Amino acid sequence: MDSILDGVGAAVTSPWFGLVLFAVAALDGFFPVVPSESMVITGGVYAASGSPDLALVVVAAALGAFAGDHVAYLLGRGPGGRLLRRARPGTRRYRALAWARGALAERGGLVLVVARYVPGGRTAVTVTMGALGYPLRRFSLFAAVAAVSWGLYGGLLGYVGGAAFEDDPVKGVAVGLGLALSVTGVVEGVRVVRRRHGWGDAVSEAEGREQHPVRAGGGPGRPSG
């Protein structure tokens, strides 16, 4: 265990950590199986001991997330959008697309900020926004807000855990991840409550629009920012 901790500590305190974190956060933006949030939290835990710098963790995570969201958006404008439109009813991909469409129609670009904290929701939203032709300038604005808030969120969660258990980074990471899971649970709980009180209507409407995709140039149901 000590050797593993030493290896993790050496990796996190390496001068290359910021670049690696940027790359992982960017990859997670369009390939959501990479544990970028865990990496941000771990960086925050070690930042509580002085290395790496907390600002580096937050900035690298935010820039990576911002870049990754734009890759997903561009995929939505191209092949990713075609794949989404071909999703079959009842599949996980179809439900994710329906959720993204309904949420985008209901809340506009702000859904991108919320989706940062919904498991699997972020990529569905960013790709869908590209597929729907959501204006790039407005997308970039909301993507920036989402990325900065997410970088601060992960970095500070880790920092809190690291400050509480300065001599035991494993416990610090556990605390940070526990807090992150708690926030995710709250977000999911709100989604369930909203669904039971009429949110499902937005999804139904979005599913109906699957048969009539929104064009970038306008038309009924075009999302507003």
Side-chain angles (χ1 to χ4, degrees), residues 61-75:
L63 289 176
F66 183 79
D69 284 351
H70 279 74
V71 172
Y73 174 89
L74 293 175
L75 288 173

Side-chain angles (χ1 to χ4, degrees), residues 178-191:
L179 291 172
L181 288 174
S182 298
V183 171
T184 299
V186 170
V187 172
E188 287 294 293
V190 171
R191 286 181 61 197

Side-chain angles (χ1 to χ4, degrees), residues 17 54 126 146 156 218:
F17 178 72
L54 180 60
T126 50
L156 290 176

Side-chain angles (χ1 to χ4, degrees), residues 17 32 48 50 60 97 129 132 214-215 221:
F17 178 72
L97 176 60
M129 292 175 84
L132 294 179
V214 180
R215 294 174 294 181

Side-chain angles (χ1 to χ4, degrees), residues 173-202:
V173 172
V175 169
L177 291 176
L179 291 172
L181 288 174
S182 298
V183 171
T184 299
V186 170
V187 172
E188 287 294 293
V190 171
R191 286 181 61 197
V192 170
V193 171
R194 288 178 62 84
R195 183 179 301 167
R196 290 178 177 176
H197 291 79
W199 180 82
D201 295 339

